[in-house]
Amino acid sequence: MPTDLHAWNALLHHHDAIRDTQMREWFEGDAAPRVAQFSLEAAGLYLDYSKNRITPETFGLLMQLAEEAGVSRRRDAMFAGEHINATEDRAALHVALRAAANAPFKVDGKPVMPDIQSVLVRMRSFAGRVRSGDWKGASGKPITDIVNIGIGGSDLGPRMVCRALSHLADADGNAAPRMHFVSNVDGTELAETLVRLDPHQTLVIVCSKTFTTLETMANACSMREWFLASGVAQSGLARHFVAVSTNVDAVRKFGIDPANMFEFWDWIGGRFSLWSSVGLSIALAVGFNAFADLLAGGRAMDEHFRTAPIERNMPVIMGMLGIWYRNFFSLPTTCMAPYSTSLELFPAFLQQLEMESNGKSVQLDGRRVRAHTSPVVWGTAGTNGQHAYFQQIHQGSQIVPVDFVAPLVPPRKLSGHHAKLLANCFAQAEALMRGRSADELRAAGMTDELRIAHMVFEGNRPSNTLLMEDLTPHVLGALIALYEHRTFVQGVVWNINSFDQWGVELGKILARPIEAELSGGAVGQHDASTATLIARARAVLGSENEA
Ligand code: F6P
């Protein structure tokens, strides 16, 4: 139990002692030593975590907790390919996907790098052919549009990276293909995509680890019908469909030649899979060299995580700060605020990464965790969030720790904009830390006490600031790997399995009979609420079908 650990209890006492201390006191006078102590650089990222409610003593106790919880031991077990995903009896070896070709990674005694390298070679060749126009559709035309059909980890990661690196889409001298991502089983998404496509110049990646996911298979089937209805012959579909999966039988059964399948393996969790062939859309969108740079950035962060002492280890520090707020301040949510439109999908990616990994209530040994686990992760790109929910973050009744992330050089330059963007990012973090007291308002000449009451900012609200110079594939790779490892560190402290996702099963199972019922089948046993919802839907769907 994490709560039985010596450092956990020491932190409880310590929290009592410092919870009313104002951070701004630590910044009065010369705070340069504090900033130097509570900041570090790794793999192209600069992390300033000085605006957190921590003293050197807090920090020491958090590091002690990381050690007592076994973070170093579990990290080494992950890198050694042990079956740390115990409930599925599998390794979680996504780090091998971005490792050097001669790295010694093994799963169940078998070296994995040769398989990884051979898929990468095929990805390089395929991406090169499509991007250069050498790969043609069935009617001999080059590919202009690529549709990735997938959901969850087979969508959010590659979609986020393609968005983040879109400024590099034609950097290798090739015309950038237009990228489309279809995930939802809501037909609106696919229908709205199809009207923008020419079937003769469209390539589809059906991306699914299991190749059984309802949404993905429904969209893939509809897409196939669309090709056939648009005049692409069955025999020509091989020029328009490729698969990314671990399930060769299901790929064959769907009608995709395994020669057009890019493999990955069951020891890669969906939300950790963008580094595998799941990243094919990335290689197609920005070129294979940029994809390789992304892998290299992930590798640089892996090396840091594996070798840096824990008190200078970015994923460990960020993970433990998250534990500090979630478990000792009992804060239920955390906000990701990238000050970069290019990174606008990072919060959605992070939501799956953290909440699917650590949204658990049972420990590895089957006992209930006696502490809160994953916070709710949310956010959007700055400055937009400032004009939506930052009011609550500044003056709401509950504290929300924020991670600010910003590239110092804008991916796309427009005179004067970037200084404004960065200024707002830094100002938000400063305002959250400092606040604004009633005395300061009075000193500025305000006399209306009612107004003053409304204009006080309590401050003392924590944030991290992560800076990168340029938003390159390399640094993006490091950023993603940083959050992957941060998630892992927290899972270790909570003693849960961050690599399974049993919680998504029940809803899927219950949806099957309901779908049949909505399609006119006999209605089975349901609670009164669900039965009423089904009846209302049947009434409308029935008349729609008749119309
Ligand atoms: O429903 C959850 C989930 O299993 C995710 O973990 C996964 O990333 C997603 O569905 C998609 O799964 P697949 O790649 O097998 O289609």
Side-chain angles (χ1 to χ4, degrees):
M1 283 278 170
T3 49
D4 293 337
L5 297 173
H6 180 76
W8 187 284
N9 289 296
L11 278 162
L12 283 175
H13 290 297
H14 176 68
H15 176 254
D16 282 346
I18 74 152
R19 72 169 164 225
D20 296 325
T21 312
Q22 292 289 318
M23 260 192 282
R24 65 192 290 177
E25 287 172 18
W26 300 327
F27 281 91
E28 268 151 22
D30 178 15
R34 177 175 173 85
V35 177
Q37 182 181 9
F38 293 143
S39 62
L40 83 157
E41 285 189 59
L45 291 166
Y46 169 77
L47 168 67
D48 175 353
Y49 61 101
S50 63
K51 294 191 190 82
N52 278 289
R53 292 175 62 173
I54 56 169
T55 63
E57 187 186 353
T58 325
F59 186 74
L61 287 170
L62 287 171
M63 293 305 112
Q64 192 186 325
L65 179 60
E67 278 302 11
E68 285 180 21
V71 167
S72 310
R73 186 172 40 79
R74 299 274 298 160
R75 173 198 60 197
D76 294 347
M78 175 170 76
F79 278 87
E82 287 178 28
H83 283 208
I84 58 167
N85 177 357
T87 53
E88 295 180 318
D89 195 15
R90 288 174 188 165
L93 203 55
H94 42 284
V95 291
L97 298 169
R98 50 212 189 206
N102 60 356
F105 287 111
K106 288 183 183 168
V107 169
D108 300 328
K110 181 177 174 260
V112 292
M113 294 314 295
D115 285 349
I116 292 172
Q117 287 300 311
S118 94
V119 173
L120 285 174
V121 167
R122 291 186 57 228
M123 286 170 69
R124 176 191 285 276
S125 152
F126 182 68
R129 289 190 66 193
V130 173
R131 285 179 62 80
S132 67
D134 179 43
W135 176 281
K136 305 260 189 315
S139 58
K141 291 185 177 170
I143 299 299
T144 54
D145 291 78
I146 293 165
V147 183
N148 187 85
I149 297 181
I151 196 164
S154 298
D155 168 72
L156 290 164
R159 190 195 283 249
M160 179 273 289
V161 173
C162 289
R163 172 69 192 93
L165 300 180
S166 64
H167 59 292
L168 302 175
D170 54 8
D172 65 357
N174 287 306
R178 284 182 292 269
M179 302 302 298
H180 311 269
F181 286 83
V182 175
S183 54
N184 202 334
V185 75
D186 180 345
T188 307
E189 192 178 14
L190 181 56
E192 288 180 353
T193 305
L194 291 180
V195 295
R196 303 201 297 269
L197 302 177
D198 171 357
H200 301 285
Q201 298 198 273
T202 296
L203 176 77
V204 179
I205 306 168
V206 185
C207 186
S208 173
K209 180 174 173 181
T210 55
F211 230 73
T212 57
T213 303
L214 171 112
E215 294 87 342
T216 301
M217 298 328 294
N219 282 322
C221 288
S222 297
M223 194 94 206
R224 185 173 53 193
E225 293 308 312
W226 174 78
F227 274 109
L228 295 172
S230 320
V232 176
Q234 178 79 36
S235 58
L237 286 181
R239 308 301 300 171
H240 296 276
F241 269 91
V242 296
V244 167
S245 189
T246 61
N247 187 347
V248 66
D249 292 337
V251 167
R252 195 183 286 113
K253 210 164 146 208
F254 177 81
I256 296 178
D257 184 344
N260 286 342
M261 165 176 161
F262 295 83
E263 191 188 9
F264 67 115
W265 306 274
D266 71 357
W267 39 267
I268 300 163
R271 52 197 175 275
F272 299 88
S273 66
L274 68 88
W275 320 93
S276 71
S277 50
V278 169
L280 184 64
S281 52
I282 302 171
L284 287 162
V286 292
F288 187 85
N289 288 343
F291 181 66
D293 285 348
L294 183 87
L295 300 184
R299 174 158 76 242
M301 184 53 73
D302 293 342
E303 219 27 42
H304 167 76
F305 179 49
R306 201 174 60 77
T307 59
I310 61 161
E311 67 282 359
R312 298 297 296 163
N313 194 310
M314 207 180 269
V316 176
I317 292 169
M318 289 185 70
M320 297 314 294
L321 287 168
I323 296 280
W324 179 228
Y325 295 120
R326 182 73 190 101
N327 296 118
F328 298 91
F329 286 80
S330 299
L331 303 183
T333 85
T334 181
C335 177
M336 161 50 65
Y339 272 61
S340 165
T341 298
S342 300
L343 289 171
E344 65 186 347
L345 300 183
F346 198 73
F349 166 76
L350 197 61
Q351 236 167 25
Q352 186 199 16
L353 178 63
E354 294 209 12
M355 296 171 74
E356 195 165 87
S357 298
N358 288 341
K360 319 269 164 78
S361 313
V362 174
Q363 294 191 142
L364 286 165
D365 61 10
R367 288 183 296 165
R368 215 179 152 75
V369 197
R370 271 201 263 126
H372 283 302
T373 56
S374 172
V376 173
V377 179
W378 56 284
T380 192
T383 58
N384 293 5
Q386 285 175 218
H387 300 274
Y389 50 74
F390 264 66
Q391 162 65 39
Q392 196 264 16
I393 296 183
H394 284 288
Q395 287 189 316
S397 56
Q398 219 156 29
I399 294 173
V400 180
V402 184
D403 281 1
F404 294 98
V405 179
L408 294 177
V409 176
R412 296 189 200 269
K413 295 184 180 59
L414 201 56
S415 178
H417 281 249
H418 205 60
K420 291 184 178 63
L421 179 73
L422 287 179
N424 272 279
C425 174
F426 299 163
Q428 291 302 315
E430 187 173 36
L432 287 169
M433 184 274 286
R434 287 178 45 106
R436 182 171 62 186
S437 68
D439 284 347
E440 283 172 322
L441 290 166
R442 289 184 200 110
M446 277 192 73
T447 51
D448 179 342
E449 288 298 323
L450 178 61
R451 218 172 148 76
I452 287 172
H454 285 278
M455 292 183 69
V456 163
F457 287 60
E458 284 172 7
N460 219 15
R461 300 193 170 210
S463 66
N464 293 313
T465 304
L466 266 169
L467 300 179
M468 62 195 77
E469 211 166 293
D470 273 312
L471 185 52
T472 59
H474 193 281
V475 83
L476 179 63
L479 180 74
I480 299 165
L482 165 64
Y483 277 91
E484 284 181 355
H485 293 321
R486 178 186 109 142
T487 299
F488 171 71
V489 165
Q490 296 186 338
V492 172
V493 173
W494 291 318
N495 198 18
I496 57 180
N497 180 2
S498 298
F499 299 104
D500 62 13
Q501 55 283 316
W502 301 108
V504 301
E505 296 299 319
L506 181 58
K508 287 187 195 173
I509 294 167
L510 296 185
R512 274 183 228 133
I514 296 178
E515 187 192 339
E517 289 160 16
L518 293 180
S519 309
V523 178
Q525 281 288 314
H526 295 283
D527 63 84
S529 162
T530 308
T532 308
L533 297 173
I534 292 170
R536 288 184 79 94
R538 270 167 69 105
V540 174
L541 289 173
S543 55
E544 262 200 356
N545 290 341
E546 284 155 23

